[in-house]
Amino acid sequence: MENFEFYVGTKILFGKGQIENLPGKLGQYGKRVLLAYGGGSIKKTGLYDKIKNLLSDFEVYDFAGIEPNPKIQSIYAGKDMCLKHNIDIILAVGGGSVIDCAKGIAAAARYDGDAREFLGKDKITGSIPLAVILTLSGSSSEFDFGGVISVPETNEKLVFEHESLYPKFSILDPEYTFTVPKLLTAAGSADAIIHVLDQYFTDVYSMMTDRISEGIMQTVIRYAPTAVNNPDDYEARAEIMWASALTNTHICSIGNINYAWSIHSIEHSLTAHYDSLTHGVGCAIITPHWMRYVLSDKTVDRFAQYGIRVWEIDKNLDKYTIANQAIDKTEAFFKSLGIPMKLSEYNITSDKFETIAEDVLNTRDDYLGKLDRDGWVPLGVKDVIKILNMCL
Ligand code: NZQ
Ligand code: ZN
């Protein structure tokens, strides 16, 4: 097993009624709270009123309207509010977009310069504290130290990371995800699986990490159809919530090297140009085509292991048969959840594929140069264009 460092700096408060702990936990950081949320789902579900009641002794400043695939402009606006009101802690209530934006604001409020400078670079030195109430499973942002922000002016979507950005605590109550619509439930579930896949496909790995990764994927595969078809099923929502929270904690890459986040790299550059594409949907569309493209004598054994252990395909079959069946099953599973599995269904054409492919290669530094640049199967611009064309 390769050497590793492992640290996750977030306390998880999981389960029904955990929100009652909010005032006590938040109060440890001060009284002035920036309440960050999205387009209003938390008002419809009643969560907003619940939070306001619980925080009646706090000075709460609303920062509303954070958009899916959050933009740098929201970070500028949030930073201004933090400085104006001398905010002690940011409370992010929502899914990955709200949490990522809140992380960007938290870092920007302690950054002496334009927040654009720290996107894709290792420049953050600190941030104001952040806490989370999660309402949508999938991104794992509630349990990790990074975020992804779009810069519309340059059509970029860039990662930023810093240890100070681990939420101080995250409240994970599966009941808050009952109202997530079917397609977003499917997208979040796909995203969780693909976080694991983007770290699983590598040529150096450990048994322990493999088994954790396979367990997470099998859990999401087992429960996602239930959550899509029966949104109030607590056990299904709970299993998915915990499984997806773990995916970006690096627990799925311990002892691995050469994992390349290829699917995510392609998807982030795609969304940077096509803002209406939901992240988990984009990842689901790309995945089976990326898999088919990289399947070769070098990679087939790993795909066969994935097929046998995750999809329980007969291990006595020929390894290419197992690998191809595993890829087909992955695609069929995403489709069965109701995900439209073609980019053309989102009116995406090949016009921008060359630019997007160049962006993928240029913004691989998004991962702050910590990963091997080539990864498991090195991809060049021409390869990415071919994969994107397969997705149409
Ligand atoms: O804005 P509101 O009205 O709240 O509606 C949201 C939003 O429109 C809605 N929603 C959330 N909770 C709901 C709900 N609707 C009904 N009931 C609820 N309980 O869901 C919509 C989408 O939310 P969003 O936060 O965009 O989804 P998700 O959690 O999938 O986050 C996607 C973002 O996370 C980034 C993606 O790139 C994308 O920008 N990622 C962040 C990562 C990280 N920080 O580690 C890693 C991921 O790979 C990913 O890149
Ligand atoms: Zn993702």
Side-chain angles (χ1 to χ4, degrees):
M1 191 187 286
E2 296 295 310
N3 292 0
F4 66 88
E5 289 181 16
F6 184 63
Y7 169 74
V8 186
T10 299
K11 184 186 281 283
I12 296 290
L13 304 173
F14 191 97
K16 294 177 190 174
Q18 288 285 9
I19 198 163
E20 301 301 329
N21 292 307
L22 182 64
K25 292 279 173 213
L26 216 52
Q28 294 171 17
Y29 300 93
K31 286 283 179 191
R32 288 178 300 278
V33 180
L34 188 79
L35 177 59
Y37 55 96
S41 71
I42 68 162
K43 291 202 169 161
K44 284 192 207 133
T45 60
L47 183 55
Y48 176 83
D49 291 337
K50 176 87 185 164
I51 293 167
K52 283 284 190 161
N53 284 336
L54 283 167
L55 299 184
S56 56
D57 290 342
F58 289 71
E59 269 179 60
V60 181
Y61 298 91
D62 280 28
F63 185 72
I66 296 171
E67 61 283 66
N69 299 323
K71 316 285 173 296
I72 183 90
Q73 286 73 16
S74 297
I75 291 186
Y76 297 145
K79 173 178 178 173
D80 288 348
M81 275 190 79
C82 285
L83 297 184
K84 183 174 170 199
H85 301 294
N86 198 15
I87 292 296
D88 296 314
I89 182 160
I90 302 175
L91 177 60
V93 187
S97 295
V98 170
I99 305 168
D100 285 4
C101 184
K103 285 176 176 171
I105 295 167
R110 290 282 178 276
Y111 187 76
D112 192 16
D114 190 316
R116 173 67 188 82
E117 293 166 16
F118 64 64
L119 300 182
K121 302 279 185 312
D122 203 359
K123 286 192 165 186
I124 299 172
T125 51
S127 60
I128 59 177
L130 168 89
V132 168
I133 300 175
L134 186 66
T135 66
L136 198 171
S137 304
S139 72
S140 183
S141 189
E142 67 277 13
F143 208 12
D144 71 30
F145 69 160
V148 201
I149 293 294
S150 295
V151 185
E153 293 69 28
T154 50
N155 290 318
E156 289 173 293
K157 189 166 181 186
L158 299 165
V159 172
F160 59 100
E161 295 177 342
H162 191 255
E163 245 179 49
S164 68
L165 291 171
Y166 278 113
K168 298 298 175 201
F169 63 92
S170 287
I171 293 177
L172 273 55
D173 183 338
E175 291 181 326
Y176 296 152
T177 64
F178 285 178
T179 53
V180 176
K182 282 181 192 294
L183 182 58
L184 288 175
T185 301
S189 302
D191 192 20
I193 292 171
I194 297 161
H195 291 156
V196 181
L197 290 175
D198 259 340
Q199 299 166 87
Y200 185 84
F201 286 107
T202 161
D203 43 18
V204 178
Y205 37 83
S206 89
M207 174 178 170
M208 175 70 186
T209 301
D210 273 2
R211 289 303 192 179
I212 289 172
S213 302
E214 291 150 3
I216 289 173
M217 289 192 278
Q218 283 205 312
T219 302
V220 180
I221 290 165
R222 159 76 179 76
Y223 285 103
T226 312
V228 166
N229 295 314
N230 188 5
D232 297 355
D233 188 306
Y234 183 86
E235 287 310 312
R237 292 292 194 181
E239 295 281 356
I240 292 171
M241 193 172 228
W242 181 229
S244 57
L246 288 166
T247 59
N248 273 341
T249 56
H250 298 168
I251 201 165
C252 298
S253 58
I254 285 174
N256 294 1
I257 55 169
N258 261 353
Y259 54 98
W261 289 98
S262 303
I263 302 162
H264 271 75
S265 297
I266 298 172
E267 200 289 327
H268 284 158
S269 293
L270 192 61
T271 326
H273 287 266
Y274 294 99
D275 190 41
S276 60
L277 187 64
T278 299
H279 169 70
V281 170
C283 285
I285 295 172
I286 294 162
T287 296
H289 300 296
W290 171 79
M291 287 176 156
R292 288 189 186 105
Y293 193 79
V294 302
L295 179 60
S296 70
D297 287 349
K298 176 182 179 252
T299 63
V300 65
D301 288 339
R302 195 72 177 144
F303 277 109
Q305 178 178 306
Y306 165 66
I308 293 163
R309 294 194 186 166
V310 176
W311 294 104
E312 297 172 359
I313 296 168
D314 181 356
K315 65 175 187 227
N316 297 312
L317 293 169
D318 158 74
K319 59 187 179 182
Y320 267 98
T321 306
I322 300 171
N324 279 307
Q325 281 190 13
I327 297 170
D328 292 347
K329 280 177 182 285
T330 307
E331 187 170 37
F333 175 71
F334 293 148
K335 203 170 182 178
S336 75
L337 296 180
I339 297 178
M341 291 296 287
K342 287 178 186 303
L343 291 180
S344 51
E345 300 203 38
Y346 287 84
N347 294 324
I348 295 174
T349 60
S350 59
D351 300 7
K352 297 182 185 167
F353 283 177
E354 197 168 333
T355 312
I356 291 168
E358 281 163 7
D359 291 349
V360 174
L361 275 292
N362 291 334
T363 56
R364 284 280 294 281
D365 283 343
D366 280 0
Y367 293 99
L368 308 181
K370 285 179 195 146
L371 299 178
D372 183 283
R373 225 183 137 70
D374 289 335
W376 188 49
V377 178
L379 296 176
V381 170
K382 284 185 183 156
D383 301 308
V384 177
I385 294 173
K386 282 184 192 156
I387 292 168
L388 286 169
N389 273 302
M390 291 163 77
C391 298
L392 282 173

